[in-house]
Amino acid sequence: TQADVVLLAPLYSAGEAPIPGVSSEALAQQLADLGCRALACPSLENLASASLELSAPGDLLLVMGAGDVNRLWDHLEACHSDPGLPAAA
């Protein structure tokens, strides 16, 4: 992969039964086994914090998903206003 790091949000079902062994943590481990730096984030708040901590001005933050992941931008904005966290533009 050409990604510096892959951050994974929690996986949630859309009403169907969960698939045993399928989780953000398992996907992160699979990516790590392939040599990719991957981190499974336990919440959107954690994902937003990790995104800001691991990015720098000029970096591309690509977000893919459905449902709650759309709230990530609200969390990023809230973290950005925290003077203790770096802000990437």
Side-chain angles (χ1 to χ4, degrees):
T1 179
Q2 293 181 351
D4 295 322
V5 63
V6 175
L7 302 174
L8 300 165
L11 294 180
Y12 297 102
S13 70
E16 64 276 355
I19 301 170
V22 176
S23 67
S24 303
E25 293 79 8
L27 182 54
Q29 184 59 56
Q30 292 276 330
L31 290 168
D33 291 346
L34 295 171
C36 178
R37 183 175 174 204
L39 174 65
C41 299
S43 68
L44 287 180
E45 294 86 357
N46 182 265
L47 180 61
S49 295
S51 297
L52 290 173
E53 291 170 10
L54 296 171
S55 63
D59 284 354
L60 171 66
L61 178 61
L62 176 64
V63 178
M64 297 187 309
D68 285 352
V69 77
N70 292 326
R71 293 184 19 244
L72 176 62
W73 306 114
D74 296 331
H75 293 291
L76 283 170
E77 187 174 76
C79 288
H80 181 69
S81 65
D82 182 342
L85 291 175

